């Protein structure tokens, strides 16, 4: 493995749908191998709705729909078109409504559960949308929409997933030492993983690590965060991602003059994710999973011989994972989950259910991922 300790300035200017994309940073690199592009292709255009779908959307008076966003505070809705005058839109068609003024975007895909969020402070309406490449890879496009004075919406910027992938490939390096995989941003260690895959013929000596099919966004914060998972290529030619590789993320910003930057590249720590065994019968009765679409957690809590809460939503706070669920009487119930080494403690602090007092604690052990 070659050693490279020279200081260099990375400046990669990309163009995303007419938007200039700038990634820059001063780095000292000691890692020989950069991550390489996986299965997302160079030519990866956003899909264009077929002619019959465009005609139906543009001329129809009736359509079937479902809501992507219903922000009643700011009077903004984002609607996905499913069918227009008995013509399937085949996943195309987004309608943005502000103060009863509608704007239709026929070529924005609405498949695979699109997510939207409006930020009143910045005036940005962020929307993620799925598109499919020639290889069948499905990743998310990111749209930045804004509103004119007459409340019509317009697309201020579109971020191509291939360009984001390329920028991360140029920035992130890695080192492999036996089963240990280390990820770097320059010389700064940002995460490690242990290879647990066996009988794959060994690592490909040229380009073991790559960025492949997984490219999503967390738009729950003021700025969007692209999220990718590196994959591993073996000498047998097989390529895969696996659960114990950390997610890599960074804050993405778009300036008023159209320049896009990625900052604060880190691995996404999710220590609360996984299954815990209850202390009574050693069954997995606490299950926590990360939600890519909004950065929150799905929380399922089983209490031995009492009840199960299967609709909990958790949010990270300074003290731990704050969760809210529905009790057997149909009322909200909530509390805090804290970690102590490999032990999770669930403390209920917002209970109106007669069989569960505030302050009740339950211990779950043997954290398994």
């Amino acid at each position: 493995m070659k050693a490279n300790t020279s200081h260099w300035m990375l400046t990669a200017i990309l163009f995303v749908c007419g938007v200039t994309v700038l990634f820059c940073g001063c780095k000292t690199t000691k890692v020989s191998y950069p991550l390489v592009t996986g299965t997302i292709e160079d030519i990866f255009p956003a899909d264009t709705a077929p002619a019959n779908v465009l005609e139906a959307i543009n001329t129809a008076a009736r359509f079937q729909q479902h809501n992507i966003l219903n922000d009643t505070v700011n009077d903004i809705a984002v609607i996905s078109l499913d069918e227009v005058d008995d013509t399937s839109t085949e996943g195309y068609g987004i309608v943005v409504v502000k103060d009863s003024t509608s704007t239709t975007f026929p070529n924005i895909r609405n498949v695979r559960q699109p997510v939207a969020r409006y930020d009143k402070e910045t005036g940005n309406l962020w929307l993620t949308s799925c598109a499919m490449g020639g290889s069948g890879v499905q990743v998310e496009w990111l749209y930045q929409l804004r509103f004119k004075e007459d409340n019509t919406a317009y697309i201020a910027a579109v971020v191509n997933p291939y360009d984001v992938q390329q920028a991360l490939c140029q920035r992130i390096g890695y080192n492999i030492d036996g089963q240990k995989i280390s990820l770097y941003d320059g010389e700064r260690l940002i995460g490690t993983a242990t290879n647990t895959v066996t009988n794959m013929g060994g690592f490909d000596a040229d380009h073991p690590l790559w960025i492949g099919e997984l490219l999503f966004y967390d738009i729950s914060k003021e700025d969007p965060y692209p999220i990718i998972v590196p994959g591993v290529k073996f000498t047998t030619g097989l390529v895969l991602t696996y659960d114990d590789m950390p997610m890599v993320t960074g804050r993405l910003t778009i300036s008023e003059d159209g320049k896009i930057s990625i900052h604060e590249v880190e691995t996404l720590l999710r220590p609360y994710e996984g299954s815990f065994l209850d202390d009574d019968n050693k069954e997995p009765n606490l299950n926590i999973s990360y939600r890519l679409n909004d950065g929150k957690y799905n929380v399922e809590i089983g209490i031995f011989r009492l009840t199960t809460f299967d609709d909990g939503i958790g949010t990270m706070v300074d003290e731990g994972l704050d969760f809210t669920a529905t009790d057997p009487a149909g009322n909200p119930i909530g509390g805090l989950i804290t970690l102590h080494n490999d032990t999770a403690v669930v403390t209920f602090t917002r209970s109106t259910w007669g069989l569960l007092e505030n302050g009740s604690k339950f211990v779950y052990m043997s954290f398994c991922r």
Side-chain angles (χ1 to χ4, degrees):
M1 180 173 290
K2 298 179 182 179
N4 177 9
T5 59
S6 62
H7 292 266
W8 57 283
M9 175 69 74
L10 167 64
T11 302
I13 299 179
L14 306 173
F15 294 90
V16 176
C17 296
V19 178
T20 306
V21 184
L22 174 65
F23 296 90
C24 59
C26 186
K27 306 200 300 183
T28 301
T29 305
K30 66 179 181 181
V31 182
S32 296
Y33 293 117
L35 271 70
V36 297
T37 302
T39 50
I40 296 181
E41 300 172 352
D42 190 357
I43 301 174
F44 195 70
D47 295 310
T48 301
N52 65 325
V53 173
L54 287 173
E55 182 180 1
I57 291 174
N58 291 330
T59 61
R62 302 179 307 278
F63 54 82
Q64 296 180 10
Q65 64 187 50
H66 67 270
N67 287 338
I68 298 172
L69 173 69
N70 186 19
D71 185 343
T72 56
V73 174
N74 297 298
D75 200 11
I76 293 175
V78 180
I79 299 167
S80 169
L81 298 184
D82 295 327
E83 185 177 283
V84 179
D85 278 352
D86 299 324
T87 299
S88 171
T89 61
E90 300 177 11
Y92 295 90
I94 296 292
V95 177
V96 177
V97 183
K98 182 178 182 182
D99 296 335
S100 302
T101 300
S102 299
T103 309
T104 303
F105 298 94
N107 290 324
I108 296 182
R109 296 296 301 269
N110 60 40
V111 296
R112 201 175 177 178
Q113 297 182 337
V115 178
R117 187 185 71 84
Y118 178 67
D119 188 333
K120 182 179 179 180
E121 297 299 321
T122 63
N124 291 324
L125 174 62
W126 297 106
L127 172 68
T128 63
S129 170
C130 177
M132 182 177 292
S135 60
V137 174
Q138 291 193 12
V139 297
E140 286 185 350
W141 287 69
L142 177 68
Y143 293 84
Q144 180 191 40
L145 292 92
R146 288 182 174 171
F147 294 94
K148 300 178 182 179
E149 291 184 0
D150 61 0
N151 291 331
T152 58
Y154 67 96
I155 297 175
V158 183
V159 181
N160 186 314
Y162 178 80
D163 293 332
V164 174
Q165 183 189 55
Q166 285 292 299
L168 289 170
C169 284
Q170 294 178 53
R171 182 159 184 164
I172 303 172
Y174 66 91
N175 196 343
I176 296 178
D177 182 9
Q179 288 186 309
K180 182 179 180 181
I181 301 173
S182 301
L183 296 176
Y184 295 89
D185 180 15
E187 288 191 339
R188 184 171 61 92
L189 180 67
I190 60 173
T192 60
T194 301
N195 173 39
T196 58
V197 182
T198 58
N199 301 321
M200 299 296 289
F203 291 117
D204 184 318
D206 294 327
H207 296 297
L209 261 67
W210 59 290
I211 297 179
E213 294 94 340
L214 183 62
L215 178 54
F216 296 97
Y217 284 92
D218 177 358
I219 60 172
S220 62
K221 307 174 182 65
E222 179 178 340
D223 295 317
Y225 283 72
I227 300 173
I228 62 98
V229 177
V232 180
K233 184 176 181 181
F234 297 87
T235 54
T236 56
L238 295 174
V239 180
L240 72 159
T241 58
Y242 51 96
D243 292 339
D244 51 6
M245 280 297 287
M247 289 183 172
V248 177
T249 187
R251 183 169 60 91
L252 187 150
T253 60
I254 305 177
S255 65
E256 290 299 325
D257 59 354
K259 292 182 179 179
I260 299 178
S261 304
I262 291 183
H263 318 268
E264 305 161 14
V265 176
E266 299 286 354
T267 53
L268 186 63
L269 300 179
R270 297 175 296 165
Y272 283 80
E273 185 174 39
S275 297
F276 295 79
L277 310 180
D278 66 43
D279 200 27
D280 293 308
N281 64 348
K282 307 308 181 205
E283 292 292 331
N285 267 331
L286 174 60
N287 299 296
I288 305 172
S289 59
Y290 184 75
R291 293 156 51 119
L292 282 168
N293 62 333
D294 60 9
K296 297 182 181 181
Y297 290 80
N298 291 320
V299 179
E300 299 178 359
I301 303 172
I303 301 177
F304 185 57
R305 292 181 176 176
L306 182 61
T307 190
T308 298
F309 306 99
D310 57 7
D311 64 347
I313 302 297
T315 302
M316 290 302 304
V317 295
D318 291 340
E319 297 80 8
L321 185 65
D322 184 273
F323 70 90
T324 300
T326 306
D327 69 22
N331 298 314
I333 190 169
L336 188 70
I337 302 173
T338 55
L339 293 184
H340 309 273
N341 295 321
D342 284 346
T343 300
V345 177
V346 178
T347 304
F348 287 87
T349 60
R350 302 185 300 276
S351 174
T352 59
W353 189 41
L355 296 181
L356 198 58
E357 296 181 354
N358 284 323
S360 299
K361 294 186 178 183
F362 299 89
V363 178
Y364 299 82
M365 306 179 69
S366 300
F367 183 45
C368 42
R369 294 173 181 265

mmCIF file with all atom_site columns, all heavy atoms in Angstrom, residues 263-275:
data_model
loop_
_atom_site.group_PDB
_atom_site.id
_atom_site.type_symbol
_atom_site.label_atom_id
_atom_site.label_alt_id
_atom_site.label_comp_id
_atom_site.label_asym_id
_atom_site.label_entity_id
_atom_site.label_seq_id
_atom_site.pdbx_PDB_ins_code
_atom_site.Cartn_x
_atom_site.Cartn_y
_atom_site.Cartn_z
_atom_site.occupancy
_atom_site.B_iso_or_equiv
_atom_site.pdbx_formal_charge
_atom_site.auth_seq_id
_atom_site.auth_comp_id
_atom_site.auth_asym_id
_atom_site.auth_atom_id
_atom_site.pdbx_PDB_model_num
ATOM 1   N N   . HIS A 1 263 ? -20.257 19.477 3.899  1.00 0.00 ? 263 HIS A N   1
ATOM 2   C CA  . HIS A 1 263 ? -19.443 19.783 5.071  1.00 0.00 ? 263 HIS A CA  1
ATOM 3   C C   . HIS A 1 263 ? -19.578 18.666 6.090  1.00 0.00 ? 263 HIS A C   1
ATOM 4   O O   . HIS A 1 263 ? -20.485 17.850 6.030  1.00 0.00 ? 263 HIS A O   1
ATOM 5   C CB  . HIS A 1 263 ? -19.903 21.101 5.724  1.00 0.00 ? 263 HIS A CB  1
ATOM 6   C CG  . HIS A 1 263 ? -20.218 22.200 4.763  1.00 0.00 ? 263 HIS A CG  1
ATOM 7   N ND1 . HIS A 1 263 ? -19.305 23.139 4.350  1.00 0.00 ? 263 HIS A ND1 1
ATOM 8   C CD2 . HIS A 1 263 ? -21.363 22.506 4.097  1.00 0.00 ? 263 HIS A CD2 1
ATOM 9   C CE1 . HIS A 1 263 ? -19.865 23.978 3.497  1.00 0.00 ? 263 HIS A CE1 1
ATOM 10  N NE2 . HIS A 1 263 ? -21.124 23.618 3.335  1.00 0.00 ? 263 HIS A NE2 1
ATOM 11  N N   . GLU A 1 264 ? -18.679 18.669 7.061  1.00 0.00 ? 264 GLU A N   1
ATOM 12  C CA  . GLU A 1 264 ? -18.818 17.848 8.263  1.00 0.00 ? 264 GLU A CA  1
ATOM 13  C C   . GLU A 1 264 ? -19.057 16.373 7.941  1.00 0.00 ? 264 GLU A C   1
ATOM 14  O O   . GLU A 1 264 ? -19.991 15.739 8.456  1.00 0.00 ? 264 GLU A O   1
ATOM 15  C CB  . GLU A 1 264 ? -19.958 18.389 9.138  1.00 0.00 ? 264 GLU A CB  1
ATOM 16  C CG  . GLU A 1 264 ? -19.814 19.856 9.501  1.00 0.00 ? 264 GLU A CG  1
ATOM 17  C CD  . GLU A 1 264 ? -21.121 20.477 9.955  1.00 0.00 ? 264 GLU A CD  1
ATOM 18  O OE1 . GLU A 1 264 ? -22.073 19.726 10.240 1.00 0.00 ? 264 GLU A OE1 1
ATOM 19  O OE2 . GLU A 1 264 ? -21.196 21.718 10.020 1.00 0.00 ? 264 GLU A OE2 1
ATOM 20  N N   . VAL A 1 265 ? -18.196 15.817 7.074  1.00 0.00 ? 265 VAL A N   1
ATOM 21  C CA  . VAL A 1 265 ? -18.330 14.403 6.726  1.00 0.00 ? 265 VAL A CA  1
ATOM 22  C C   . VAL A 1 265 ? -18.046 13.551 7.960  1.00 0.00 ? 265 VAL A C   1
ATOM 23  O O   . VAL A 1 265 ? -17.009 13.675 8.600  1.00 0.00 ? 265 VAL A O   1
ATOM 24  C CB  . VAL A 1 265 ? -17.379 14.035 5.581  1.00 0.00 ? 265 VAL A CB  1
ATOM 25  C CG1 . VAL A 1 265 ? -17.442 12.532 5.293  1.00 0.00 ? 265 VAL A CG1 1
ATOM 26  C CG2 . VAL A 1 265 ? -17.739 14.823 4.321  1.00 0.00 ? 265 VAL A CG2 1
ATOM 27  N N   . GLU A 1 266 ? -18.992 12.695 8.300  1.00 0.00 ? 266 GLU A N   1
ATOM 28  C CA  . GLU A 1 266 ? -18.862 11.833 9.468  1.00 0.00 ? 266 GLU A CA  1
ATOM 29  C C   . GLU A 1 266 ? -19.552 10.509 9.189  1.00 0.00 ? 266 GLU A C   1
ATOM 30  O O   . GLU A 1 266 ? -20.304 10.373 8.224  1.00 0.00 ? 266 GLU A O   1
ATOM 31  C CB  . GLU A 1 266 ? -19.527 12.477 10.708 1.00 0.00 ? 266 GLU A CB  1
ATOM 32  C CG  . GLU A 1 266 ? -18.945 13.811 11.134 1.00 0.00 ? 266 GLU A CG  1
ATOM 33  C CD  . GLU A 1 266 ? -17.593 13.681 11.819 1.00 0.00 ? 266 GLU A CD  1
ATOM 34  O OE1 . GLU A 1 266 ? -17.162 12.527 12.063 1.00 0.00 ? 266 GLU A OE1 1
ATOM 35  O OE2 . GLU A 1 266 ? -16.981 14.729 12.106 1.00 0.00 ? 266 GLU A OE2 1
ATOM 36  N N   . THR A 1 267 ? -19.292 9.530  10.036 1.00 0.00 ? 267 THR A N   1
ATOM 37  C CA  . THR A 1 267 ? -20.110 8.329  10.016 1.00 0.00 ? 267 THR A CA  1
ATOM 38  C C   . THR A 1 267 ? -21.317 8.575  10.908 1.00 0.00 ? 267 THR A C   1
ATOM 39  O O   . THR A 1 267 ? -21.233 9.286  11.907 1.00 0.00 ? 267 THR A O   1
ATOM 40  C CB  . THR A 1 267 ? -19.333 7.100  10.510 1.00 0.00 ? 267 THR A CB  1
ATOM 41  O OG1 . THR A 1 267 ? -18.759 7.371  11.776 1.00 0.00 ? 267 THR A OG1 1
ATOM 42  C CG2 . THR A 1 267 ? -18.255 6.722  9.525  1.00 0.00 ? 267 THR A CG2 1
ATOM 43  N N   . LEU A 1 268 ? -22.440 8.006  10.521 1.00 0.00 ? 268 LEU A N   1
ATOM 44  C CA  . LEU A 1 268 ? -23.694 8.217  11.235 1.00 0.00 ? 268 LEU A CA  1
ATOM 45  C C   . LEU A 1 268 ? -23.786 7.211  12.369 1.00 0.00 ? 268 LEU A C   1
ATOM 46  O O   . LEU A 1 268 ? -23.942 6.015  12.151 1.00 0.00 ? 268 LEU A O   1
ATOM 47  C CB  . LEU A 1 268 ? -24.878 8.056  10.272 1.00 0.00 ? 268 LEU A CB  1
ATOM 48  C CG  . LEU A 1 268 ? -26.260 8.384  10.816 1.00 0.00 ? 268 LEU A CG  1
ATOM 49  C CD1 . LEU A 1 268 ? -26.333 9.852  11.211 1.00 0.00 ? 268 LEU A CD1 1
ATOM 50  C CD2 . LEU A 1 268 ? -27.319 8.063  9.791  1.00 0.00 ? 268 LEU A CD2 1
ATOM 51  N N   . LEU A 1 269 ? -23.635 7.702  13.586 1.00 0.00 ? 269 LEU A N   1
ATOM 52  C CA  . LEU A 1 269 ? -23.673 6.830  14.752 1.00 0.00 ? 269 LEU A CA  1
ATOM 53  C C   . LEU A 1 269 ? -25.114 6.509  15.106 1.00 0.00 ? 269 LEU A C   1
ATOM 54  O O   . LEU A 1 269 ? -25.936 7.398  15.286 1.00 0.00 ? 269 LEU A O   1
ATOM 55  C CB  . LEU A 1 269 ? -22.967 7.499  15.929 1.00 0.00 ? 269 LEU A CB  1
ATOM 56  C CG  . LEU A 1 269 ? -21.491 7.845  15.700 1.00 0.00 ? 269 LEU A CG  1
ATOM 57  C CD1 . LEU A 1 269 ? -20.923 8.534  16.927 1.00 0.00 ? 269 LEU A CD1 1
ATOM 58  C CD2 . LEU A 1 269 ? -20.686 6.598  15.361 1.00 0.00 ? 269 LEU A CD2 1
ATOM 59  N N   . ARG A 1 270 ? -25.428 5.230  15.224 1.00 0.00 ? 270 ARG A N   1
ATOM 60  C CA  . ARG A 1 270 ? -26.776 4.799  15.571 1.00 0.00 ? 270 ARG A CA  1
ATOM 61  C C   . ARG A 1 270 ? -26.701 3.750  16.680 1.00 0.00 ? 270 ARG A C   1
ATOM 62  O O   . ARG A 1 270 ? -27.084 2.597  16.507 1.00 0.00 ? 270 ARG A O   1
ATOM 63  C CB  . ARG A 1 270 ? -27.476 4.224  14.333 1.00 0.00 ? 270 ARG A CB  1
ATOM 64  C CG  . ARG A 1 270 ? -27.665 5.240  13.212 1.00 0.00 ? 270 ARG A CG  1
ATOM 65  C CD  . ARG A 1 270 ? -28.252 4.587  11.996 1.00 0.00 ? 270 ARG A CD  1
ATOM 66  N NE  . ARG A 1 270 ? -27.338 3.602  11.445 1.00 0.00 ? 270 ARG A NE  1
ATOM 67  C CZ  . ARG A 1 270 ? -27.688 2.676  10.560 1.00 0.00 ? 270 ARG A CZ  1
ATOM 68  N NH1 . ARG A 1 270 ? -28.937 2.586  10.167 1.00 0.00 ? 270 ARG A NH1 1
ATOM 69  N NH2 . ARG A 1 270 ? -26.805 1.831  10.082 1.00 0.00 ? 270 ARG A NH2 1
ATOM 70  N N   . PRO A 1 271 ? -26.167 4.134  17.857 1.00 0.00 ? 271 PRO A N   1
ATOM 71  C CA  . PRO A 1 271 ? -25.951 3.141  18.913 1.00 0.00 ? 271 PRO A CA  1
ATOM 72  C C   . PRO A 1 271 ? -27.232 2.527  19.452 1.00 0.00 ? 271 PRO A C   1
ATOM 73  O O   . PRO A 1 271 ? -27.200 1.455  20.035 1.00 0.00 ? 271 PRO A O   1
ATOM 74  C CB  . PRO A 1 271 ? -25.221 3.942  20.002 1.00 0.00 ? 271 PRO A CB  1
ATOM 75  C CG  . PRO A 1 271 ? -25.631 5.358  19.766 1.00 0.00 ? 271 PRO A CG  1
ATOM 76  C CD  . PRO A 1 271 ? -25.762 5.480  18.276 1.00 0.00 ? 271 PRO A CD  1
ATOM 77  N N   . TYR A 1 272 ? -28.365 3.218  19.279 1.00 0.00 ? 272 TYR A N   1
ATOM 78  C CA  . TYR A 1 272 ? -29.603 2.696  19.830 1.00 0.00 ? 272 TYR A CA  1
ATOM 79  C C   . TYR A 1 272 ? -30.268 1.676  18.907 1.00 0.00 ? 272 TYR A C   1
ATOM 80  O O   . TYR A 1 272 ? -31.206 0.994  19.314 1.00 0.00 ? 272 TYR A O   1
ATOM 81  C CB  . TYR A 1 272 ? -30.582 3.846  20.101 1.00 0.00 ? 272 TYR A CB  1
ATOM 82  C CG  . TYR A 1 272 ? -30.232 4.623  21.355 1.00 0.00 ? 272 TYR A CG  1
ATOM 83  C CD1 . TYR A 1 272 ? -29.233 5.584  21.342 1.00 0.00 ? 272 TYR A CD1 1
ATOM 84  C CD2 . TYR A 1 272 ? -30.894 4.380  22.542 1.00 0.00 ? 272 TYR A CD2 1
ATOM 85  C CE1 . TYR A 1 272 ? -28.900 6.288  22.486 1.00 0.00 ? 272 TYR A CE1 1
ATOM 86  C CE2 . TYR A 1 272 ? -30.583 5.075  23.698 1.00 0.00 ? 272 TYR A CE2 1
ATOM 87  C CZ  . TYR A 1 272 ? -29.578 6.038  23.667 1.00 0.00 ? 272 TYR A CZ  1
ATOM 88  O OH  . TYR A 1 272 ? -29.255 6.725  24.801 1.00 0.00 ? 272 TYR A OH  1
ATOM 89  N N   . GLU A 1 273 ? -29.811 1.575  17.686 1.00 0.00 ? 273 GLU A N   1
ATOM 90  C CA  . GLU A 1 273 ? -30.474 0.690  16.727 1.00 0.00 ? 273 GLU A CA  1
ATOM 91  C C   . GLU A 1 273 ? -30.146 -0.765 17.017 1.00 0.00 ? 273 GLU A C   1
ATOM 92  O O   . GLU A 1 273 ? -28.990 -1.117 17.274 1.00 0.00 ? 273 GLU A O   1
ATOM 93  C CB  . GLU A 1 273 ? -30.066 1.042  15.300 1.00 0.00 ? 273 GLU A CB  1
ATOM 94  C CG  . GLU A 1 273 ? -30.821 0.238  14.253 1.00 0.00 ? 273 GLU A CG  1
ATOM 95  C CD  . GLU A 1 273 ? -30.510 0.712  12.853 1.00 0.00 ? 273 GLU A CD  1
ATOM 96  O OE1 . GLU A 1 273 ? -29.346 1.042  12.589 1.00 0.00 ? 273 GLU A OE1 1
ATOM 97  O OE2 . GLU A 1 273 ? -31.430 0.750  12.027 1.00 0.00 ? 273 GLU A OE2 1
ATOM 98  N N   . GLY A 1 274 ? -31.146 -1.617 16.970 1.00 0.00 ? 274 GLY A N   1
ATOM 99  C CA  . GLY A 1 274 ? -30.934 -3.042 17.170 1.00 0.00 ? 274 GLY A CA  1
ATOM 100 C C   . GLY A 1 274 ? -32.032 -3.649 18.023 1.00 0.00 ? 274 GLY A C   1
ATOM 101 O O   . GLY A 1 274 ? -33.090 -3.058 18.237 1.00 0.00 ? 274 GLY A O   1
ATOM 102 N N   . SER A 1 275 ? -31.771 -4.857 18.535 1.00 0.00 ? 275 SER A N   1
ATOM 103 C CA  . SER A 1 275 ? -32.730 -5.583 19.362 1.00 0.00 ? 275 SER A CA  1
ATOM 104 C C   . SER A 1 275 ? -32.112 -5.871 20.724 1.00 0.00 ? 275 SER A C   1
ATOM 105 O O   . SER A 1 275 ? -30.940 -6.231 20.823 1.00 0.00 ? 275 SER A O   1
ATOM 106 C CB  . SER A 1 275 ? -33.133 -6.905 18.698 1.00 0.00 ? 275 SER A CB  1
ATOM 107 O OG  . SER A 1 275 ? -33.792 -6.671 17.468 1.00 0.00 ? 275 SER A OG  1
#
